[in-house]
Structures are given as C-alpha cells and as structure tokens.
Amino acid sequence: METIYRQGVRMAEELQRRTRSYEDFWLIASHLGDPKAAVLLVFPVVFYTHRRTGIAVLWVAALSEWLNLVFKWILFGERPYWWIGHSGLFSKNPPKVQQFLSTCETGPGSPSGHAMVTGAVWWVVVSFLASFFHTRTGSKILAAVPYLLYAVFLACVGLSRIFILAHFPHQVIAGLLAGQKLLYYIILYYINYIIFVSLCTLSTGVLLGIVLNRTVPECHPLLFFFRFSLTLLLGAFLMHGALQKIGVDLSWSISLAKRWCSRSEWIRMDTAPFSSLNRDAGVLLGLGLAQYWKPGGWALPWVPRTLCLALSSIALHYISSFPVPTVPPLLFYSLFFLKYSIVPQVVMVLVPGFVHLLTAKPKRE
C-alpha cells in the first residue's frame, strides 16, 4: 500500500498545483457531498417537490452513512493529510500541499463517506427526475440528462476530496469509475484491495440507492422507526465493543488527526464516527415522529411549498449552527442525536403546519 499512498500524495499535490485557482469550487463540491448536506440541504428541497422521494432521501442517507461507518471500522484506511507526516517518507522532499478547514476529519479514510453517501442519495434524486422527464416528454434523451449530471457531480465530489487531502485517489476515484468494465479489469490486474474499496465507495452507494429506494418506510408506525434507530445504535456499539475486545484500537485515527492537522481548531467532534452514528439514528427517529404527528402531511400548493422551503432552510441553518458543548462527550452525542431528530419534524410537520395556518382559506358557514 505504501506505493499507492505515495502516488496518491503526488497526484493530490499535482491537482492542487494545477487547479489552485478553483479552490472555492472544490470546497463547495466537498461541502455538497458531505453526508449532512443530504439531510440539511437535499432533503428539504426534494421533500417539498415530491414527498415520497424526500422521505427516501433521508432513509437512504441514514442507512448508507451507517454502513459507511461500519466499513471504515473494518477497512481502516489512512488519510493523506496525516499519512504524509506519519509515514516519515517525505522528510527530505515534503510535498507542496495545503490543508483546509474541511480537511481534518477524524474517522478512517476507507471508504469515502462523501462518495458512498452522495452516490446513494443522489441516485434517488436523479432516478425520480429521469422518470419525471420521461413521463412528461417521452424523450429518452432528456431522461438521460439527470444521469449525466449525476456522473459529473460525483466526479467533482471525488476530486474535491483528493484536492483537500481528505482521501487518496484510490479511495474515491476508483469507486467513481468502478462500474466501467475497462477500469475494472485494470484494477483487478493490479490489486484486489482497490476493487474492494471501489465497491465500498460509490458503486456500493449506487447499489444502496437502488435497493433502499424500493423500501422507503412511508406511513410506517412509530415503533418501526424507534426499533430501527435503536438497532443502528446498539449494532454499532456492539461492533465497536467486539473490535476493542479483540485488540483493535478504533481511536487510532483521532490521535493521528490531532497530531497532523495543521490547525487544532479544525478538529471537530462532528466529524467523529460516533457523530455520524447519532446523526443517522436521530434522523430515523425524527422521521418516524414526523409521520406519527401528521400522517400523510399537508397537501399544499406550489406557492406555500416554496414558502415552506424558505422557512425550513432558515430553521435548519440555525439548528445546524447551534453550538453543542463537547464536554463531556456523552452530552455532546446526546444533544447531537436530539438536534438531528428535530430536522425531519421541522421540515415535515412544524413548518408546513405553520404555513398551512397562514394560507388556509377560512371555511364559509
């Protein structure tokens, strides 16, 4: 793996050198590929466009990120920003690379959560758009446009992760292109590890998007979501405990992140593996509560739905930016869980209910 890592660092260095003027673009692409963006940005827009697809976005985002966490614990995987210093291979000729605010994630590097979750979530969106265009126009060419934009977007997200030194190329690019037959044989010829990482990144994400989109829990009872949320939490805790029992140190990546991140304030607890776990479990419980409070939701016209989107965006901005104390860790993770359990209820119940009260015509006696 040392050769692959070394070449990955050189590729990241070259990417930064050649596209330095596009730094803002790469940072935006990385932000849009963040799993939490699926919850805070993609979900409200899609939900107010098509209710079932919006619910599918949350469902797929939560389960694919949870699976990504499990894969990270099994596969480990270095990150470029810490491996450059930790390996000691570049002491005489250090690469000319730069870290960024979003570089210093504390979880293991394989597989890329951005690639895997983005691939799954956006498959749900583009498949809906393709079906919509084909139904309305009957044009297969127009229906193929969302898939083309999907491929371009995923490529941009993958390259952005390399640019900011969050992932090695084999952790994202191979995953982005694993579906192509030629590359598959090339990768198979060189090293089986890359094939596995590929399948665990975007190709796995696309597969999850296809499979989970057929099992959207719309109109399920609250108990279903409570059990599912609890299963995610207990399953991850049991696996964490079992790995520690056999001598696996799952905090190794946090230590390396703190040691090699260029600025200590860039180390954030919301990038830790347990933060992802609590976000996913909280989102699923919140989804169940939202459907429990108002089964079926409100049937609002387009203009009120646009108002809902604007109000929800403002509310989610404040929810996301609300400071959560990081000490003790148990308090942080509990509040983090609570914060994301509120998100579906705001988007599906509170804001639409408020807009409904504002715009509903009074009944004539």
Side-chain angles (χ1 to χ4, degrees):
M1 292 305 298
E2 181 180 301
T3 302
I4 295 176
Y5 286 152
R6 189 193 295 267
Q7 293 302 317
V9 169
R10 294 306 180 191
M11 290 176 65
E13 181 183 25
E14 188 68 11
L15 182 62
Q16 285 196 4
R17 185 183 70 83
R18 290 179 176 272
T19 63
R20 179 72 65 183
S21 58
Y22 298 101
E23 175 183 319
D24 291 339
F25 171 79
W26 294 127
L27 294 177
I28 292 173
S30 182
H31 175 68
L32 292 176
D34 193 320
K36 71 179 179 183
V39 177
L40 300 175
L41 297 178
V42 181
F43 164 60
V45 175
V46 176
F47 179 79
Y48 293 126
T49 302
H50 188 260
R51 175 183 171 84
R52 183 192 181 280
T53 307
I55 294 174
V57 165
L58 270 191
W59 174 249
V60 172
L63 294 189
S64 59
E65 188 178 23
W66 184 85
L67 286 172
N68 179 260
L69 169 63
V70 172
F71 285 140
K72 284 182 184 294
W73 280 348
I74 296 173
L75 297 177
F76 293 89
E78 308 279 356
R79 291 186 185 269
Y81 78 90
W82 74 52
W83 187 81
I84 291 172
H86 180 64
S87 67
L89 299 176
F90 300 93
S91 55
K92 294 182 180 179
N93 185 24
K96 297 178 181 178
V97 291
Q98 176 186 348
Q99 295 183 19
F100 303 89
L101 174 63
S102 52
T103 295
C104 300
E105 296 190 10
T106 57
S110 293
S112 167
H114 281 61
M116 185 170 168
V117 177
T118 300
V121 167
W122 280 94
W123 177 267
V124 174
V125 178
V126 299
S127 59
F128 163 73
L129 291 175
S131 177
F132 175 81
F133 290 148
H134 187 265
T135 301
R136 290 299 181 92
T137 66
S139 172
K140 293 183 179 180
I141 295 177
L142 189 59
V145 171
Y147 293 107
L148 177 61
L149 297 177
Y150 171 72
V152 172
F153 176 60
L154 296 182
C156 290
V157 171
L159 288 172
S160 73
R161 303 302 288 166
I162 299 167
F163 180 87
I164 68 171
L165 302 180
H167 287 289
F168 288 99
H170 77 272
Q171 294 171 342
V172 286
I173 293 182
L176 290 170
L177 302 177
Q180 296 189 18
K181 198 171 184 179
L182 176 61
L183 184 67
Y184 173 79
Y185 286 119
I186 294 173
I187 293 173
L188 182 61
Y189 178 78
Y190 281 111
I191 186 166
N192 289 333
Y193 176 81
I194 297 181
I195 301 174
F196 193 63
V197 171
S198 300
L199 294 174
C200 290
T201 53
L202 196 71
S203 53
T204 303
V206 174
L207 181 61
L208 285 171
I210 295 172
V211 174
L212 296 178
N213 194 30
R214 300 174 181 174
T215 60
V216 179
E218 191 176 14
C219 301
H220 280 51
L222 177 60
L223 186 59
F224 168 86
F225 293 96
F226 175 78
R227 288 174 175 171
F228 222 103
S229 178
L230 189 62
T231 298
L232 295 189
L233 288 171
L234 292 180
F237 287 144
L238 288 174
M239 182 177 181
H240 185 274
L243 290 173
Q244 284 194 321
K245 193 73 173 178
I246 62 176
V248 178
D249 180 16
L250 294 177
S251 64
W252 67 275
S253 61
I254 298 176
S255 302
L256 290 175
K258 291 179 178 179
R259 171 67 178 84
W260 296 107
C261 184
S262 59
R263 299 179 63 173
S264 59
E265 62 268 24
W266 289 352
I267 300 291
R268 307 186 313 277
M269 281 191 69
D270 62 354
T271 67
F274 276 113
S275 295
S276 301
L277 171 63
N278 282 276
R279 173 167 54 237
D280 302 333
V283 160
L284 289 183
L285 181 60
L287 180 59
L289 287 170
Q291 296 187 83
Y292 173 78
W293 301 131
K294 183 62 178 179
W298 281 272
L300 298 173
W302 274 106
V303 173
R305 275 191 272 176
T306 304
L307 179 58
C308 284
L309 178 59
L311 294 177
S312 293
S313 299
I314 295 172
L316 295 189
H317 169 72
Y318 283 105
I319 291 173
S320 175
S321 58
F322 185 80
V324 177
T326 57
V327 178
L330 180 60
L331 176 62
F332 171 83
Y333 290 126
S334 299
L335 294 177
F336 202 77
F337 174 94
L338 179 63
K339 184 162 74 169
Y340 277 92
S341 69
I342 293 172
V343 170
Q345 299 178 74
V346 168
V347 175
M348 298 174 65
V349 179
L350 297 179
V351 170
F354 175 70
V355 171
H356 175 75
L357 290 175
L358 290 179
T359 59
K361 295 180 180 179
K363 296 182 179 179
R364 296 180 179 179
E365 296 181 359

